[in-house]
Amino acid sequence: MENLAPFRSMIIIHRGWIPDKFHEIEKESFCFVHIDVDLFQPTRDSIIFFYDKLIKNGVLICDDYGSSSCPGAKLAFDDFFADKPEHVIALPTGQCLVVKT
């Protein structure tokens, strides 16, 4: 919270479990989504929820994509985007990103 203090006017935090809190933002659209939930199911739930709400050229980032301690995150991204026009781009820092077409 301290690190985000300069941006408080631009950030809304919804505390709780995924996907239990998604109903609070179901009518929103997004240009940037950062997913950092470590496990397969909440990662997949997040991708499914945010994919259709991501604007064209919006960015979806996964913090745990390249982490050997979080193999479910990579699996969720690879499975979901296997039949989508977008490609999962693995970053050398261990994250991945997807740019919505």
Side-chain angles (χ1 to χ4, degrees), residues 22-88:
F22 285 162
H23 71 279
E24 295 179 7
I25 56 173
E26 64 190 355
K27 295 181 180 166
E28 302 291 331
S29 60
F30 300 88
C31 61
F32 180 86
V33 174
H34 182 261
I35 299 173
D36 185 2
V37 292
D38 301 350
L39 304 172
F40 174 81
Q41 196 60 54
T43 300
R44 183 161 177 79
D45 291 343
S46 297
I47 298 167
I48 290 168
F49 178 80
F50 287 109
Y51 180 75
D52 289 334
K53 295 170 180 10
L54 200 61
I55 65 168
K56 182 178 172 146
N57 296 318
V59 175
L60 184 63
I61 292 184
C62 178
D63 191 64
D64 305 307
Y65 185 81
S67 174
S68 61
S69 64
C70 305
K74 183 179 188 320
L75 181 60
F77 264 80
D78 291 346
D79 283 355
F80 183 84
F81 286 100
D83 65 348
K84 304 289 185 284
E86 296 85 6
H87 299 284
V88 177

